[in-house]
């Protein structure tokens, strides 16, 4: 295992990791997650995009209308500035990109493994934090809201669709989230390829 950690990456795999770094830069410019809402009063539907540093509506007025719906059932207003995670997530992404580019200078398999570990940690922590954010918004309701239904909570789904009263909310990864997942898959492939290459080298020299 120690030999594999310090094994020099093949030229192809070095280019692939460099490509991962370039792909991750795109995450600054596209949403990582999307939530869509359909309700009788909004037959065309409403949408909300979660970016690495902000939350926006799918159209200029969607977030305003979503907050209006939330007001009636006692949910807090969704404002980017009130979510501290959005302040430091750009730096976390910068760390991942920096690691990919540093690998070009220190092209060892151990750097690819470190990238896999970092992406898994960021993904798991990010999903848990997103669930916790949804839970707080859906359960910590204003007791003086215009519409109160005893025992009702409005937590959106982490993944998939959920019906709440006459509202259907759907939550899925957007293009940025897909890039993060693809980057992890690509790094796992690189690790597999390097293991295979090491094994074939051992066989050829024996």
């Amino acid at each position: 295992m120690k030999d594999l950690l310090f094994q020099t990456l093949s030229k192809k795999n070095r280019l692939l990791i460099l490509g991962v770094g370039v792909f991750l830069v795109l995450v600054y410019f596209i949403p990582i997650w999307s939530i869509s809402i359909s309700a009788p009063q909004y037959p065309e539907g409403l949408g909300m995009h979660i970016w690495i540093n902000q939350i926006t509506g799918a159209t200029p007025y969607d977030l305003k209308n979503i907050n209006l719906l939330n007001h009636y059932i006692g949910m807090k207003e969704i404002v980017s500035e009130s979510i501290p995670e959005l302040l430091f997530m750009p730096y976390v992404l910068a760390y991942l990109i920096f690691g990919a580019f540093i690998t070009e200078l220190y092209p060892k398999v151990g750097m690819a493994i470190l990238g896999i570990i970092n992406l898994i940690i960021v993904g798991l922590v990010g999903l848990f934090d997103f669930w916790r954010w949804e839970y707080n918004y859906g359960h910590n309701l204003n007791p003086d809201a215009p519409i109160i239904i005893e025992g009702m909570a409005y937590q959106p789904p982490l993944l998939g669709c959920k019906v709440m009263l006459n509202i259907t909310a759907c939550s899925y990864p957007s293009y940025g989230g897909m890039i993060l997942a693809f980057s992890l898959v690509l790094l796992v492939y690189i690790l597999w390829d390097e293991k295979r290459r090491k094994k074939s080298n051992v066989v050829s020299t024996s």
Side-chain angles (χ1 to χ4, degrees):
M1 180 63 181
K2 186 176 180 181
D3 292 341
L4 180 64
L5 286 174
F6 294 100
Q7 176 176 304
T8 300
L9 292 164
S10 68
K11 185 176 180 180
K12 177 194 72 174
N13 288 335
R14 286 172 64 179
L15 289 174
L16 286 176
I17 290 182
L18 194 61
V20 166
V22 173
F23 275 131
L24 290 177
V25 170
L26 296 176
V27 179
Y28 282 110
F29 306 102
I30 51 179
I32 56 176
W33 211 271
S34 293
I35 297 176
S36 62
I37 296 172
S38 59
Q41 58 269 52
Y42 296 103
E44 72 282 2
L46 300 172
M48 184 172 70
H49 295 320
I50 300 174
W51 303 62
I52 200 73
N53 63 341
Q54 64 178 328
I55 296 179
T56 63
T59 69
Y61 298 103
D62 276 13
L63 189 57
K64 180 180 179 180
N65 288 327
I66 289 171
N67 281 326
L68 185 63
L69 281 174
N70 290 347
H71 166 74
Y72 283 111
I73 58 179
M75 293 177 69
K76 294 178 183 178
E77 184 178 3
I78 298 173
V79 182
S80 298
E81 291 75 16
S82 65
I83 304 171
E85 292 83 354
L86 297 177
L87 297 176
F88 61 79
M89 279 304 295
Y91 298 102
V92 173
L93 180 60
Y95 166 74
L96 296 175
I97 295 169
F98 179 73
F101 290 151
I102 282 295
T103 303
E104 185 66 20
L105 302 176
Y106 186 72
K108 303 297 182 182
V109 174
M111 293 295 287
I113 295 174
L114 181 61
I116 292 171
I117 293 172
N118 285 335
L119 276 170
I120 290 174
I121 291 174
V122 169
L124 291 177
V125 172
L127 286 173
F128 172 76
D129 193 65
F130 183 40
W131 174 87
R132 184 176 60 86
W133 175 77
E134 288 184 318
Y135 181 90
N136 290 334
Y137 267 83
H139 287 80
N140 299 333
L141 305 175
N142 183 356
D144 299 320
I147 300 174
I148 297 177
I149 299 177
E150 193 67 30
M152 185 69 187
Y154 302 96
Q155 180 182 357
L158 179 64
L159 186 65
C161 295
K162 181 179 180 181
V163 178
M164 299 169 286
L165 297 180
N166 63 343
I167 299 171
T168 300
C170 295
S171 174
Y172 292 104
S174 190
Y175 296 111
M178 293 176 189
I179 286 177
L180 289 168
F182 177 72
S183 297
L184 177 59
V185 170
L186 197 55
L187 288 176
V188 170
Y189 163 77
I190 290 170
L191 178 58
W192 171 84
D193 187 58
E194 290 295 333
K195 283 183 176 181
R196 181 187 58 81
R197 192 165 66 93
K198 183 177 185 298
K199 186 176 180 180
S200 64
N201 287 340
V202 169
V203 172
S204 62
T205 56
S206 61

